[in-house]
Amino acid sequence: MTDDDELSLSDLYDAIESVGRPHLTAAELSRKTDLTTERAREELERLADLEEVARQDVTSADAVWYPTDLDAVTDRERVVLFPDRREVVVQHADQFTRAQLSQFAHLVDTNRSGGAIYEMREEDIWQAPYDSLEDLIATMRDVFGERSPHLEEWVTSQWERARKFRLYTHEDGYTVLAAESDDLMGNVARQKLDDDALRAPISDSESWVNEEKTAQVKRTLYDAGYPVRDERELDEGEDLDLELRLTLRDYQADWVQRFVEQGSGVFVGPPGSGKTVAAMGAMEAVGGETLILVPSRELASQWHDELILHTDLEESHIGEYHGGTKEIRPVTIATYRTAGMDRHRKLFDERRWGLIVYDEVHHVPADVYRRSADLQGKHRLGLTATPTRESDDEEEIFTLVGPPIGTDWSALFEAGFVQEPEVNIRLVPWGDDSEADEYVSAVGHGRRQAAADNSAKIDEIRFLLEEHPAAKALVFVEYLDQGEAISEALDVPFISGEMPHARREKLFDEFRRSERDALVVSRVGDEGIDLPDAELAIIASGLGGSRRQGAQRAGRTMRPVGDALLYVLATRGTEEEDFVRRQMRHLASKGIRVTESESEVGDVRESTLEDGDADSDTSGGSGTVD
């Protein structure tokens, strides 16, 4: 800036940040802004007249100036880029910045003071949800506030690398792998893939692909650092006349359009964003008989009901195939486990499916579910809020099913389609010394269970429920004993996998109809169950730091109605603290703010114990004197 410019408060904050302490002198401001010392002093005095800065005279030194609102300096968003390491360090990032970063960077770590470290990996650029390289780089510049030629050169190279190979359908009907150059085909594809995958060369840059080995081709080249674009002209299968009875939201229509153009893909969006409805839009667009794969019978029933409600399909068009019933119809809903079994597999293979929908697609990499990915579907659509897997093999999802579509959660929050939850990690003290002693003496799984079963959590849950009396609440547990203890203490039903299916459905229906305002739920509530009006979720114990489960449970509160609250309880000073932070890290990587606090009930309990001990000592002393 020049001497003719007026110093803004933002300019002052920048200068203070550059100095590295929350105050500065007029001379220091001069050096950081290119103002003369006299002009800098005049501007500071002007801001002082506006009561935006204050002055402190220091003996034998120039006066120091500091903002009257020091929190505005200490809590100010900072984004620092280290282009050589491809790392981004952020402090106090707002929702929009975190959501932008989640589009092209991987969250590595966070701390309690609002800081986070992001890393830009090859796969983050390959899978960035942008239509063009220019759009991706524009977002990066917006986040960093500057251009980084070195980093942008690397991003460009990775963007282009993800477009070196493609699969397409030859005019004679067979599948071809095409490389951008002869060298890539000869030195990469033909070196990495055997004759069973690439049956014969067509030209120096093209090869005939064994149709049954397309998934292997894509995975092998992905591992070699070359994602493959799948541009095959896919068979629609038998016709299915389906009409959607509602209008898709703009972003849902965009998902469907991108899916139709690609022929495959995974809708990635928070619970409540309408992935199921968007999938019905894809069914309408494809117009072919559809197989829908789900992880549970509960989700199969839910899909059946949603199809009847939102499409013109009749009951006779929809079949379910699982342990409860076995019907194959133009639209068939089956569980992953059943579809992967040899004795049922032939029935699914005989049908020409125009579309296979993989709901909760993060299950696909698991061995028992993976077999379903080989079914003869021509279009493949995955649905998930949480592609992250603890085995770090989420790339399997995108090679077996398709690339991600629609991963920008921020836009959904801002448009009001999804309520951003308030997520708070609540640290709870031990209920009594004996429980703490049991934890210290335990090892491995026993130590984790001891921290999870901390009886003080029951008081904390009771306190949170009383703090939010109007909220419909879900309390999640990992251990059956803990669920039963909470259920008994709070007089709230406990739903677990041991409960008969009919009884579970009855309780869930009562919750949906607001006939019940609280439930204690085991792992059966993590996915596949529609609980749309849960404004409050309390995680009393989790799966040892599963990022996916943390996001699934948070998702139970992500709905476009009212305020959404998620409390994650962890016993203070135990390994459980690290577990729940890992659970929540995936949510933070999606742009959701996660805070941490001490248990208020715990403070009251400790204060009461101290007072009680004092009273006891006084009483005992008095008794002795008497």
Side-chain angles (χ1 to χ4, degrees):
M1 61 186 302
T2 68
D3 277 359
D4 294 330
D5 296 328
E6 220 175 50
L7 182 74
S8 69
L9 202 55
S10 179
D11 293 332
L12 178 63
Y13 289 160
D14 288 338
I16 288 174
E17 185 175 331
S18 179
V19 169
R21 59 177 185 273
H23 56 78
L24 45 59
T25 66
E28 289 171 327
L29 178 60
S30 171
R31 290 194 294 272
K32 299 301 180 183
T33 59
D34 293 329
L35 295 173
T36 65
T37 302
E38 183 59 31
R39 178 65 175 152
R41 186 174 291 108
E42 290 175 359
E43 285 299 294
L44 288 168
E45 290 173 351
R46 181 182 62 80
L47 291 176
D49 291 339
L50 297 174
E51 299 183 350
E52 291 180 335
V53 302
R55 169 178 173 151
Q56 178 67 49
D57 291 321
V58 181
T59 304
S60 303
D62 194 2
V64 297
W65 303 79
Y66 58 90
T68 53
D69 183 7
L70 283 175
D71 288 342
V73 178
T74 57
D75 292 342
R76 191 175 183 224
E77 178 180 285
R78 297 177 180 86
V79 179
V80 182
L81 172 65
F82 297 91
D84 291 338
R85 301 203 306 263
R86 298 194 293 276
E87 286 185 353
V88 186
V89 177
V90 299
Q91 190 75 15
H92 305 297
D94 63 21
Q95 163 74 12
F96 184 63
T97 297
R98 296 194 307 274
Q100 285 180 308
L101 279 166
S102 72
Q103 305 306 293
F104 59 83
H106 171 69
L107 180 65
V108 177
D109 200 6
T110 59
N111 61 32
R112 296 183 65 175
S113 62
I117 299 174
Y118 289 82
E119 177 187 5
M120 295 174 64
R121 307 169 301 176
E122 293 176 344
E123 56 265 38
D124 298 320
I125 305 305
W126 298 345
Q127 299 173 6
Y130 291 89
D131 293 331
S132 70
L133 174 62
E134 290 73 20
D135 290 342
L136 169 58
I137 290 179
T139 298
M140 291 170 52
R141 291 174 180 173
D142 186 44
V143 173
F144 304 146
E146 60 179 324
R147 298 187 178 196
S148 173
H150 175 72
L151 180 62
E152 291 179 10
E153 181 180 350
W154 176 81
V155 168
T156 300
S157 70
Q158 294 305 320
W159 180 273
E160 293 174 348
R161 190 180 184 92
R163 288 151 180 80
K164 299 292 187 183
F165 286 96
R166 67 186 181 97
L167 289 168
Y168 74 91
T169 302
H170 191 273
E171 61 182 12
D172 292 332
Y174 56 85
T175 299
V176 176
L177 175 68
E180 187 181 68
S181 68
D182 299 348
D183 287 343
L184 282 171
M185 178 59 71
N187 296 325
V188 178
R190 289 174 183 158
Q191 293 293 325
K192 300 286 184 181
L193 295 162
D194 57 29
D195 292 341
D196 192 33
L198 299 183
R199 286 184 162 166
I202 299 174
S203 68
D204 288 342
S205 63
E206 295 179 311
S207 293
W208 172 25
V209 175
N210 181 348
E211 184 71 31
E212 296 179 356
K213 299 294 182 179
T214 53
Q216 177 188 328
V217 169
K218 289 194 286 186
R219 178 56 202 261
T220 299
L221 291 177
Y222 187 101
D223 288 343
Y226 294 94
V228 179
R229 289 179 294 157
D230 194 339
E231 299 177 356
R232 289 174 292 167
E233 297 175 6
L234 301 174
D235 187 351
E236 301 296 338
E238 298 298 328
D239 289 344
L240 175 69
D241 187 14
L242 177 151
E243 183 177 339
L244 201 59
R245 287 176 171 161
L246 48 75
T247 302
L248 295 177
R249 298 166 181 166
D250 289 345
Y251 67 86
Q252 291 171 325
D254 178 61
W255 289 355
V256 171
Q257 180 179 350
R258 291 166 62 187
F259 170 75
V260 170
E261 291 172 353
Q262 294 176 185
S264 65
V266 177
F267 291 165
V268 183
S273 59
K275 295 184 294 296
T276 301
V277 171
M280 294 179 196
M283 291 171 63
E284 180 183 44
V286 169
E289 293 194 349
T290 301
L291 173 63
I292 301 168
L293 296 174
V294 298
S296 67
R297 289 171 56 184
E298 286 86 359
L299 192 52
S301 298
Q302 181 182 319
W303 260 97
H304 179 280
D305 294 343
E306 292 290 301
L307 286 166
I308 293 296
L309 178 63
H310 297 306
T311 75
D312 63 351
L313 291 175
E314 299 178 0
E315 290 281 357
S316 60
H317 293 136
I318 305 171
E320 294 186 39
Y321 200 102
H322 48 67
T325 183
K326 292 181 174 62
E327 305 164 331
I328 291 188
R329 293 179 180 169
V331 175
T332 300
I333 310 162
T335 58
Y336 284 104
R337 187 177 297 275
T338 302
M341 292 180 177
D342 289 337
R343 64 179 181 271
H344 303 299
R345 180 67 173 273
K346 184 178 179 182
L347 294 172
F348 294 108
D349 274 341
E350 288 175 346
R351 199 108 186 182
R352 295 178 62 213
W353 304 108
L355 171 66
I356 297 182
V357 177
Y358 299 84
D359 204 355
E360 306 293 354
V361 72
H362 46 268
H363 287 286
V364 166
D367 289 341
V368 70
Y369 298 119
R370 181 191 180 104
R371 301 179 65 191
S372 65
D374 294 328
L375 289 169
Q376 296 176 7
K378 299 305 181 180
H379 289 78
R380 294 172 180 234
L381 173 62
L383 310 178
T384 187
T386 53
T388 297
R389 288 175 51 83
E390 293 313 296
S391 50
D392 287 326
D393 57 1
E394 51 262 28
E395 67 272 10
E396 292 269 16
I397 296 170
F398 303 126
T399 55
L400 293 171
V401 180
I405 297 173
T407 55
D408 185 359
W409 292 26
S410 174
L412 307 187
F413 292 140
E414 292 174 359
F417 291 125
V418 176
Q419 174 69 44
E420 179 185 1
E422 298 178 25
V423 181
N424 179 249
I425 297 173
R426 188 65 65 92
L427 302 180
V428 182
W430 287 106
D432 58 55
D433 291 341
S434 64
E435 292 179 328
D437 292 340
E438 180 182 348
Y439 172 81
V440 172
S441 61
V443 294
H445 179 81
R447 173 169 283 202
R448 198 179 88 208
Q449 183 166 358
D453 288 343
N454 177 9
S455 62
K457 290 183 179 180
I458 295 178
D459 291 335
E460 187 69 29
I461 294 167
R462 183 181 289 110
F463 171 78
L464 292 172
L465 293 176
E466 291 173 352
E467 283 286 289
H468 308 285
K472 293 173 65 174
L474 298 174
V475 180
F476 291 99
V477 298
E478 177 179 5
Y479 300 104
L480 295 179
D481 289 346
Q482 183 190 27
E484 290 166 357
I486 295 172
S487 173
E488 182 177 354
L490 302 180
D491 192 24
V492 172
F494 173 43
I495 298 177
S496 71
E498 296 182 352
M499 179 178 285
H501 176 75
R503 173 63 176 160
R504 273 191 278 168
E505 279 301 298
K506 183 176 185 297
L507 288 171
F508 285 136
D509 284 341
E510 291 173 355
F511 187 86
R512 293 185 192 103
R513 295 194 300 266
S514 298
E515 295 172 7
R516 291 187 180 276
D517 55 12
L519 293 173
V520 181
V521 185
S522 71
R523 301 182 193 182
V524 299
D526 287 346
E527 60 193 9
I529 297 173
D530 182 19
L531 302 173
D533 296 321
E535 298 100 345
L536 172 65
I538 303 170
I539 300 180
S541 58
L543 289 177
S546 164
R547 294 166 288 171
R548 179 192 59 78
Q549 190 201 43
Q552 287 285 354
R553 291 182 169 181
R556 298 276 71 83
T557 68
M558 286 180 173
R559 304 299 186 204
V561 178
D563 295 326
L565 301 169
L566 171 65
Y567 292 94
V568 187
L569 308 186
T571 300
R572 183 199 301 152
T574 69
E575 295 173 3
E576 191 176 42
E577 281 193 45
D578 295 329
F579 290 156
V580 299
R581 288 184 183 121
R582 271 186 285 163
Q583 281 183 316
M584 297 298 101
R585 188 169 296 155
H586 180 59
L587 280 181
S589 74
K590 291 294 185 182
I592 294 173
R593 187 180 299 278
V594 178
T595 61
E596 192 169 312
S597 65
E598 298 287 337
S599 163
E600 296 183 39
V601 171
D603 293 340
V604 172
R605 182 186 298 108
E606 290 174 349
S607 175
T608 303
L609 286 173
E610 291 171 1
D611 292 343
D613 290 342
D615 290 344
S616 176
D617 291 342
T618 303
S619 173
S622 176
T624 302
V625 172
D626 290 342

